[in-house]
């Protein structure tokens, strides 16, 4: 699947030009982005009938990539919601997962944990520099988080930015293309959170709400800032 190159809403992502060609794969994308949905809800989002969506879901269930779940909603019959199974999640690849983990393990075993930490630190530094340069034209928190979502989507994280009220923003990453590496060494996750805090500016707080590595459907971050003097940390450090 091609990387998403612009920041947009979840609905836009599902109808963007890069979307998978087949209806079944578009359903998988929708469930990946939105979480559990009924066949009617899926049909509405994809511009097809609920029955057509249900037929595709039945086939996907036979493949073991989705499963249904009955949820009671007041009186009447329970509604049937569909969501991805572990096999379905694996349709969204972890970039060169086995080779990456093998290389990381070799670095740790041969050169030591300090060498691995230095490599993660170097990646953190180059990523931060690239993000900071891209955000040079952004001023508000909203603009910065939207730009961050755009950058992360370009790297395969299927990221979106949403307003969360009270001058807060949500950064939502629906996929982790380095999940195997992050599970092997959670220093990657710590480094990424630090990068977010640094490029978003002094006074910015980044709270992780969901974490794929810990079993979450996605990674999500609540982002706020505590002061009006809002500049990237590199800029304020130079004052």
């Amino acid at each position: 699947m091609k990387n998403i190159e612009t920041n947009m809403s979840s609905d836009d992502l599902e109808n963007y030009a890069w979307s998978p060609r087949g209806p079944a794969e578009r359903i998988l994308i929708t469930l990946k982005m939105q979480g559990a949905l009924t066949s009617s809800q899926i049909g509405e989002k994809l511009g097809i009938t609920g029955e057509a969506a249900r037929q595709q879901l039945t086939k996907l269930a036979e493949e073991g990539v989705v499963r249904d779940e009955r949820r009671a909603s007041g009186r009447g019959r329970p509604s049937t919601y569909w969501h991805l199974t572990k096999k379905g999640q694996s349709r969204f690849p972890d970039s060169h997962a086995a080779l990456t983990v093998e290389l990381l393990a070799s670095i740790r075993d041969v050169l030591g944990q300090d060498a691995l930490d230095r490599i993660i630190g170097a990646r953190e530094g180059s990523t931060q520099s690239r993000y900071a340069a891209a955000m040079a034209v952004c001023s508000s928190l909203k603009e910065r988080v939207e730009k961050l979502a755009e950058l992360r989507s370009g790297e395969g994280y299927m990221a979106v930015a949403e307003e969360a009220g009270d001058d807060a923003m949500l950064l939502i990453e629906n996929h982790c293309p380095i999940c195997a590496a992050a599970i092997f060494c959670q220093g990657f996750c710590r480094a990424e959170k630090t990068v977010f805090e640094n490029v978003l500016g002094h006074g910015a707080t980044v709270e992780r709400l969901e974490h794929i590595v810990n079993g979450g459907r996605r990674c999500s971050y609540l982002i706020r800032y505590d002061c009006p003097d809002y500049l990237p940390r590199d800029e304020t450090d130079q004052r």
Side-chain angles (χ1 to χ4, degrees):
M1 296 180 185
K2 296 180 181 178
N3 289 340
I4 304 162
E5 296 179 349
T6 54
N7 181 49
M8 54 191 73
S9 70
S10 298
D11 289 340
D12 289 336
L13 286 168
E14 289 142 14
N15 294 287
Y16 189 48
W18 70 267
S19 292
R21 296 170 185 170
E25 290 187 354
R26 294 189 68 209
I27 286 175
L28 294 180
I29 283 284
T30 302
L31 293 175
K32 179 70 172 173
M33 298 295 298
Q34 300 282 347
L37 296 170
T38 67
S39 57
S40 296
Q41 291 170 332
I42 293 171
E44 182 179 350
K45 289 180 179 297
L46 299 184
I48 60 177
T49 65
E51 177 58 24
R54 189 191 65 78
Q55 291 175 3
Q56 292 293 334
L57 287 162
T58 300
K59 294 178 183 177
L60 290 169
E62 292 173 355
E63 296 177 29
V65 294
V66 303
R67 69 180 179 89
D68 62 342
E69 175 187 355
R70 296 296 180 90
R71 295 184 183 178
S73 54
R75 296 181 178 179
R77 293 189 305 173
S79 298
T80 300
Y81 282 78
W82 298 84
H83 56 85
L84 296 177
T85 63
K86 186 175 181 180
K87 183 178 179 180
Q89 294 283 357
S90 70
R91 291 285 187 95
F92 300 85
D94 185 341
S95 302
H96 311 293
L99 176 60
T100 300
V101 170
E102 183 178 347
L103 288 172
L104 292 173
S106 296
I107 291 169
R108 183 196 61 190
D109 295 343
V110 175
L111 301 177
Q113 184 64 43
D114 287 345
L116 180 57
D117 291 341
R118 288 198 300 273
I119 289 172
I120 294 173
R123 178 180 183 270
E124 177 184 344
S126 62
T127 300
Q128 182 171 315
S129 296
R130 181 162 47 84
Y131 287 2
M135 290 185 185
V137 297
C138 302
S139 55
S140 68
L141 178 69
K142 182 175 185 292
E143 289 175 347
R144 289 185 179 280
V145 176
E146 287 177 344
K147 175 58 70 173
L148 182 57
E150 177 184 331
L151 294 166
R152 299 290 284 178
S153 288
E155 297 171 5
Y157 288 86
M158 300 175 69
V160 294
E162 297 179 359
E163 295 186 37
D166 297 325
D167 297 321
M169 293 290 294
L170 278 174
L171 174 68
I172 298 169
E173 297 180 339
N174 291 284
H175 181 55
C176 178
I178 63 164
C179 189
I183 290 173
F184 175 81
C185 178
Q186 294 203 19
F188 284 104
C189 295
R190 290 192 297 271
E192 287 180 338
K193 185 172 179 291
T194 299
V195 167
F196 295 167
E197 291 170 339
N198 288 341
V199 299
L200 289 171
H202 275 292
T205 60
V206 179
E207 178 187 359
R208 183 183 283 120
L209 304 179
E210 300 169 275
H211 199 192
I212 292 174
V213 167
N214 291 332
R217 182 180 69 82
R218 59 191 187 180
C219 290
S220 63
Y221 304 85
L222 179 66
I223 301 168
R224 305 176 184 274
Y225 65 93
D226 301 325
C227 63
D229 186 14
Y230 189 75
L231 290 171
R233 293 187 180 181
D234 289 346
E235 294 180 28
T236 52
D237 288 345
Q238 294 172 4
R239 287 182 173 181

